[in-house]
Amino acid sequence: MMEEEEFEFAEDLEAILHLTPEVQLAIEQVFPSQDPLDRADFNAVEYINTLFPTEQSLANIDDVVNKIRLKIRRLDDNIRTVVRGQTNVGQDGRQALEEAQIAIQQLFGKIKDIKDKAEKSEQMVKEITRDIKQLDHAKRHLTTSITTLNHLHMLAGGVDSLEAMTRKRQYGEVANLLQGVVNVLEHFHKYMGIPQIRQLSERVKAAQSELGTQILADFEEAFPSQGSKRPGGPSNVLRDACLVANVLDPRIKQEIIKKFIRQHLSEYLVLFQENQDVAWLDKIDRRYAWIKRQLVDYEEKYGRMFPEEWCMTERIAVEFCHITRTELAKVMRTRAKEIEVKLLLFAIQRTTNFEGLLAKRFTGCTLTDAPGQKRPESPLDPTNPFLEDEPGEDVVTEKDEDLAKPRKPKAPDNPFHGIVSKCFEPHLYVYIESQDKNLGELIDRFVADFRTQGPPKAGTEEGGAVLPSCADLFVYYKKCMVQCSQLSTGEPMIALTTIFQKFLREYAWKILSGNLPKSSSNSGGLTISSLLKEKEGSEAAKFTVDELCLICSILSTAEYCLATTQQLEEKLKEKVDKVLVERINLTGEMDTFSTVISNSIQLLVQDLDAACDPALTAMSKMPWQSVEHVGDQSPYVTSIIMHIKQNVPIIRDNLASTRKYFTQFCIKFTNSFIPKFINHLFRCKPISMVGAEQLLLDTHSLKTVLLDLPSIGSQVLRKAPASYTKIVVKGMTRAEMILKVVMAPHEPPVVFVDNYIKLLADGNPETFQKILDMKGLKRSEQSSMLELFRQRLPTPPSGADGGPSLSFSAPTPEQESSRIRKLEKLIKKRL
């Protein structure tokens, strides 16, 4: 019974002392302890096993029990002390709470007393300051009333004085008084409901209306629209009247300006009527000379009559420009058939010079007043190299240089640009047609000069250089573009661009493509006997040295045209209006020059390729089965190297300025020669072991030459581009692998097939058939070999194409070089 009670007590105690993880964590943070007895997951069995790990440790069990009992007694003492200390805590807490409540009640009482005293103080202050506020309001109202009365007195007196001065035409006093009256009247806008104030406002408006009518009548009397004579000079009355007009409705000022300018330019309309001889374009200078004299006359007689801010001199000039543009458009529309290019350019040049003179003299501040006028936007600073001085531009005449001046950044800032010259735009088709004709004649002259002078000669400065006609063409284009942009930046620029496109294509066809040498189909090939005799220089390339220089020169010219055409397109887009930029596109012409470049490179490749064809044919016809020993490189290799050394240095020297296209030539030749060499290699059958070794030595020699192809025959050694080297190594390594497979014994067949798959990585049965033919195997042996080859082919991965090609890692160039050296040593030993 005692044991059961102790067990139940332990369970109850454990249930009471079970704490949540959060509480347990907090206890561990406050009272950190390393004692296993303090852990939440305490296990008595594990703890006892720790104390007594072995049977021998049970000998000190009494000491352990005594230590635990001592610890229990200490814990009991601590608990007893804590419990006794907490006996009076509850009573002390209640007493402290009561004291706090009493203190809070006292605090609330004090706060209420302070609030009552503050309300009483506020009431007392309001009573003290009530009278002071009333006095402040009275003072403010009194001040406003006095000010308003003063303004009313000033307004009434000013209106009376204004009416009296108006009748006496005392405009000098009226100008100052009217402005003051208007300013004072603005203070009475909120009092317009008062009849007296409204009456004064109406009197002011009536006075302003009367002043306007009276001033217009005075100007009409001084400057009649219809009259035989103009008054001798201005009067002070009219000068003061202009000051009054500044204060009146702006329409009065505009009417005065309009009538004066109309009367001032009435003589111009009579002198330069449409039916007058001086009205035609050849006398256009007289128009501008007349307005210059009139402006000088105005400054002397009327310069001080009008206020300076009216800009009357500029307004007269601007109105003159509008009238001139209208009149010139009318005259040119009537006599359109009489307009010639030189006459049109003369008139445009004189007009643009006059517009430039206006820009130097005036600011253009009045242009916004004229309807339909819009200040042109300033373009960006030119950064295109097309505008920079070019080598062929020294021959431009002074007249061309004058026409080229508007290309400077300051010229487009002219606010008067096009104010008169805009009328010539509908007739610029005459200029465009003239440029079409001139460019056609220029292209024909280029063709004739080329036929007369002939192609550039080898060994001269012209050999391989850009054709002079190309620079002449683009210098002329530049001059035309500058001229046309000076005339118009609208549709005429689009028409000129179309002309440029037309003759760029004609230049590419007639001058460049038309003069490329034609590759002849017949090839006076080499015979085997001639190759075996190894007579150097007995075979010549299909193109002469001069023809090679001509092809290189055409290639360089096409490249120059390609780059300059791109710059021309960018400059045209800068010159033309923004809304028309999308219509300028010279991509087709640039593609044409790219085609010329590609055709030129192809001709050079075909020429060298054709020169090597007889040697490759001789290689395929040599009796490789009867070769008895391995010697130096074969005669056909010597012939190929000879042709390469003849052609490549010439091409490289003539393409020195276009290095990237020389690299393209090398790459295209290699891509053409190596497959052709491999095809001829397959024709060499049957081949003995010694013959295969000789072919392998020849292949290595060709590989070495091809790797050095870009710098062959050059005193300056330059490393070949990595892309080119990769192509040569990959192609010639395949040729070497073919020969190594041929050299390998075909017995046992499994080893031979596996060796082929490993070296060539080619799953095409046709290639394997060619290898067997080179080895000279019988048809029966070939059939079994082919069947074994199909069985030994690795299965392609799922999802891959079902083609016969395989993907194996080819030997590195270093490995192949090492193998070639071993082969050379073997050959030397046999020799």
Side-chain angles (χ1 to χ4, degrees):
M1 290 296 293
M2 290 293 293
E3 292 179 356
E4 292 179 359
E5 291 178 359
E6 290 179 359
F7 182 73
E8 292 177 358
F9 175 76
E11 288 184 349
D12 295 341
L13 184 62
E14 184 179 358
I16 294 172
L17 295 179
H18 181 70
L19 302 176
T20 61
E22 292 80 4
V23 175
Q24 187 66 35
L25 180 62
I27 292 174
E28 291 177 357
Q29 293 177 352
V30 176
F31 303 104
S33 175
Q34 300 297 330
D35 193 345
L37 295 172
D38 295 332
R39 294 179 58 183
D41 54 348
F42 173 74
N43 191 321
V45 176
E46 292 181 358
Y47 182 68
I48 293 172
N49 291 333
T50 304
L51 293 177
F52 307 105
T54 61
E55 293 182 1
Q56 289 78 9
S57 60
L58 293 175
N60 58 349
I61 188 171
D62 294 333
D63 296 337
V64 175
V65 170
N66 291 333
K67 288 180 182 179
I68 292 176
R69 286 176 178 174
L70 178 61
K71 190 172 184 178
I72 292 172
R73 283 198 297 272
R74 289 178 181 175
L75 288 175
D76 290 339
D77 293 341
N78 292 338
I79 293 171
R80 190 179 301 111
T81 302
V82 172
V83 170
R84 290 175 180 175
Q86 294 295 323
T87 304
N88 299 327
V89 169
Q91 184 177 357
D92 295 341
R94 285 191 294 273
Q95 184 179 354
L97 179 60
E98 292 175 358
E99 292 175 356
Q101 290 176 349
I102 294 173
I104 292 172
Q105 291 177 0
Q106 293 175 356
L107 180 60
F108 275 126
K110 292 179 181 180
I111 292 174
K112 185 176 181 183
D113 293 342
I114 294 172
K115 183 177 179 183
D116 294 340
K117 291 179 181 180
E119 291 177 353
K120 291 179 181 179
S121 299
E122 183 180 2
Q123 187 66 27
M124 188 182 300
V125 170
K126 286 182 179 179
E127 292 176 357
I128 293 172
T129 58
R130 184 181 296 116
D131 297 335
I132 297 175
K133 288 183 179 179
Q134 289 178 355
L135 290 174
D136 287 341
H137 288 306
K139 179 182 177 181
R140 190 181 304 113
H141 294 325
L142 182 60
T143 302
T144 304
S145 301
I146 293 172
T147 304
T148 304
L149 288 174
N150 287 336
H151 286 166
L152 182 59
H153 180 266
M154 292 169 58
L155 180 61
V159 172
D160 293 338
S161 300
L162 182 63
E163 291 174 347
M165 293 176 183
T166 301
R167 289 191 293 270
K168 296 177 182 179
R169 282 182 165 79
Q170 296 176 348
Y171 295 133
E173 292 78 2
V174 168
N176 295 326
L177 180 60
L178 180 59
Q179 185 63 52
V181 170
V182 172
N183 292 339
V184 172
L185 188 59
E186 291 179 356
H187 294 284
F188 291 93
H189 280 318
K190 54 186 176 180
Y191 303 116
M192 286 299 172
I194 302 173
Q196 290 80 1
I197 301 299
R198 186 168 58 252
Q199 184 180 2
L200 286 174
S201 175
E202 291 174 354
R203 288 175 61 188
V204 172
K205 292 181 181 178
Q208 289 177 325
S209 178
E210 183 180 354
L211 277 171
T213 305
Q214 189 170 299
I215 291 173
L216 289 176
D218 292 343
F219 269 93
E220 182 67 28
E221 183 180 352
F223 305 102
S225 301
Q226 301 292 335
S228 57
K229 275 192 176 184
R230 186 185 301 171
S235 64
N236 293 332
V237 174
L238 295 180
R239 182 180 60 194
D240 295 336
C242 292
L243 298 177
V244 177
N246 268 337
V247 186
L248 295 175
D249 192 338
R251 288 178 294 181
I252 302 300
K253 171 185 170 182
Q254 295 295 335
E255 188 67 23
I256 293 172
I257 294 173
K258 183 178 179 181
K259 286 186 177 181
F260 179 81
I261 294 177
R262 185 190 307 125
Q263 194 274 339
H264 208 71
L265 296 177
S266 59
E267 180 183 353
Y268 173 70
L269 292 172
V270 176
L271 291 176
F272 294 91
Q273 286 184 359
E274 185 179 353
N275 55 0
Q276 298 295 326
D277 184 55
V278 293
W280 189 229
L281 300 180
D282 58 346
K283 305 292 192 306
I284 197 170
D285 282 340
R286 298 189 182 183
R287 294 177 181 266
Y288 305 132
W290 182 89
I291 189 60
K292 292 176 185 177
R293 292 194 301 270
Q294 291 299 314
L295 293 178
V296 172
D297 179 66
Y298 166 80
E299 292 286 350
E300 293 176 353
K301 293 183 179 181
Y302 307 102
R304 297 183 180 180
M305 187 176 75
F306 295 99
E308 185 178 353
E309 63 269 17
W310 284 23
C311 304
M312 284 300 295
T313 309
E314 180 178 332
R315 291 181 185 275
I316 293 172
V318 170
E319 184 62 24
F320 166 81
C321 292
H322 294 332
I323 295 174
T324 302
R325 186 179 66 216
T326 304
E327 293 297 320
L328 286 176
K330 190 187 303 181
V331 171
M332 287 190 292
R333 192 163 50 249
T334 304
R335 304 172 64 176
K337 295 182 180 179
E338 302 179 29
I339 300 177
E340 298 178 353
V341 177
K342 293 183 179 180
L343 180 61
L344 181 65
L345 292 179
F346 167 78
I348 291 174
Q349 186 176 19
R350 293 296 186 268
T351 302
T352 52
N353 290 342
F354 175 70
E355 292 173 349
L357 181 64
L358 293 180
K360 294 178 181 178
R361 175 65 178 81
F362 306 116
T363 61
C365 60
T366 63
L367 291 176
T368 54
D369 298 340
Q373 289 295 321
K374 182 179 180 181
R375 185 164 182 156
E377 299 179 358
S378 300
L380 300 175
D381 293 337
T383 57
N384 197 310
F386 188 78
L387 283 181
E388 297 177 357
D389 294 336
E390 298 178 18
E393 210 169 343
D394 297 334
V395 297
V396 181
T397 62
E398 293 182 1
K399 182 177 179 181
D400 297 334
E401 292 176 356
D402 292 337
L403 293 173
K405 286 181 180 178
R407 71 187 173 94
K408 297 180 180 179
K410 292 184 179 179
D413 290 337
N414 181 2
F416 298 94
H417 178 68
I419 191 171
V420 179
S421 56
K422 197 75 173 176
C423 66
F424 297 110
E425 186 168 327
H427 304 278
L428 286 179
Y429 67 89
V430 178
Y431 171 78
I432 301 298
E433 292 174 355
S434 172
Q435 297 306 323
D436 189 3
K437 179 180 177 183
N438 293 342
L439 283 170
E441 295 175 353
L442 187 65
I443 294 295
D444 293 339
R445 180 167 64 83
F446 290 160
V447 174
D449 290 347
F450 193 92
R451 292 174 180 172
T452 303
Q453 300 173 4
K457 302 298 181 182
T460 63
E461 294 182 356
E462 292 81 7
V466 176
L467 297 177
S469 59
C470 176
D472 295 341
L473 177 66
F474 282 102
V475 168
Y476 190 83
Y477 271 12
K478 177 180 178 180
K479 186 182 75 171
C480 294
M481 180 184 65
V482 173
Q483 278 184 341
C484 191
S485 64
Q486 186 182 17
L487 307 179
S488 171
T489 57
E491 288 294 336
M493 283 291 287
I494 302 299
L496 184 67
T497 302
T498 304
I499 300 298
F500 285 173
Q501 292 174 301
K502 171 184 174 183
F503 288 102
L504 283 174
R505 291 192 297 269
E506 286 200 11
Y507 186 85
W509 295 334
K510 294 183 178 180
I511 307 299
L512 300 182
S513 295
N515 289 307
L516 282 174
K518 302 297 187 292
S519 58
S520 57
S521 58
N522 56 344
S523 59
L526 305 178
T527 62
I528 301 176
S529 59
S530 65
L531 281 173
L532 295 177
K533 290 177 182 179
E534 298 185 24
K535 292 183 179 180
E536 280 193 26
S538 61
E539 306 88 12
K542 296 174 67 176
F543 288 146
T544 64
V545 176
D546 289 340
E547 288 175 332
L548 290 177
C549 290
L550 173 60
I551 295 174
C552 294
S553 180
I554 290 176
L555 192 153
S556 300
T557 304
E559 187 209 14
Y560 174 83
C561 291
L562 176 63
T564 313
T565 301
Q566 184 177 4
Q567 296 170 0
L568 174 64
E569 180 185 43
E570 294 173 359
K571 197 59 213 170
L572 286 170
K573 289 182 177 180
E574 290 180 13
K575 294 286 186 182
V576 79
D577 293 338
K578 290 184 178 180
V579 295
L580 302 176
V581 168
E582 296 298 329
R583 295 175 59 183
I584 293 181
N585 186 2
L586 302 183
T587 305
E589 289 65 39
M590 288 187 276
D591 291 343
T592 301
F593 289 119
S594 298
T595 303
V596 174
I597 293 173
S598 178
N599 291 342
S600 301
I601 295 176
Q602 192 61 35
L603 275 179
L604 296 174
V605 171
Q606 288 177 358
D607 176 63
L608 184 55
D609 214 11
C612 297
D613 279 347
L616 294 177
T617 302
M619 177 193 77
S620 62
K621 293 182 180 180
M622 287 181 64
W624 294 104
Q625 191 176 17
S626 60
V627 176
E628 298 179 353
H629 62 274
V630 178
D632 294 333
Q633 63 186 24
S634 301
Y636 75 89
V637 176
T638 305
S639 176
I640 292 174
I641 295 175
M642 180 191 67
H643 287 300
I644 290 176
K645 289 183 176 180
Q646 285 177 351
N647 282 29
V648 173
I650 297 173
I651 296 172
R652 182 183 59 246
D653 295 341
N654 284 279
L655 294 181
S657 59
T658 56
R659 185 72 186 177
K660 63 178 182 179
Y661 292 117
F662 174 69
T663 303
Q664 287 187 21
F665 158 75
C666 294
I667 292 175
K668 286 190 175 182
F669 170 72
T670 304
N671 284 330
S672 173
F673 174 80
I674 293 178
K676 186 178 295 186
F677 173 74
I678 292 176
N679 288 335
H680 281 79
L681 203 60
F682 283 132
R683 298 177 187 176
C684 300
K685 53 186 178 181
I687 303 176
S688 64
M689 177 67 70
V690 178
E693 291 178 356
Q694 180 64 50
L695 277 174
L696 189 59
L697 180 62
D698 294 342
T699 302
H700 179 64
S701 300
L702 287 176
K703 179 180 179 181
T704 304
V705 172
L706 290 177
L707 286 174
D708 296 337
L709 182 69
S711 60
I712 193 169
S714 175
Q715 296 179 354
V716 180
L717 295 179
R718 180 181 295 180
K719 187 178 180 181
S723 58
Y724 171 78
T725 304
K726 183 178 179 181
I727 293 173
V728 174
V729 171
K730 182 179 180 180
M732 296 305 290
T733 299
R734 175 175 172 80
E736 292 172 348
M737 293 300 105
I738 291 173
L739 292 173
K740 289 183 179 181
V741 172
V742 173
M743 293 169 58
H746 60 278
E747 295 291 343
V750 174
V751 177
F752 176 76
V753 171
D754 291 343
N755 190 35
Y756 168 84
I757 295 174
K758 179 181 178 181
L759 292 177
L760 282 185
D762 189 347
N764 191 344
E766 295 181 0
T767 306
F768 188 68
Q769 177 77 48
K770 293 177 181 178
I771 297 291
L772 299 180
D773 291 338
M774 293 174 68
K775 290 183 69 65
L777 297 181
K778 298 179 181 180
R779 289 297 176 184
S780 57
E781 296 176 333
Q782 291 185 12
S783 300
S784 59
M785 283 283 191
L786 283 172
E787 184 63 29
L788 181 62
F789 170 74
R790 293 189 179 94
Q791 295 175 0
R792 302 292 294 180
L793 278 179
T795 304
S798 59
D801 295 337
S805 61
L806 302 176
S807 176
F808 295 106
S809 59
T812 62
E814 291 78 7
Q815 295 172 343
E816 292 304 317
S817 178
S818 176
R819 293 177 181 177
I820 294 297
R821 284 196 295 268
K822 292 179 181 179
L823 179 63
E824 289 176 348
K825 291 180 181 179
L826 177 63
I827 293 172
K828 289 180 181 179
K829 288 180 180 180
R830 292 191 177 184
L831 290 175

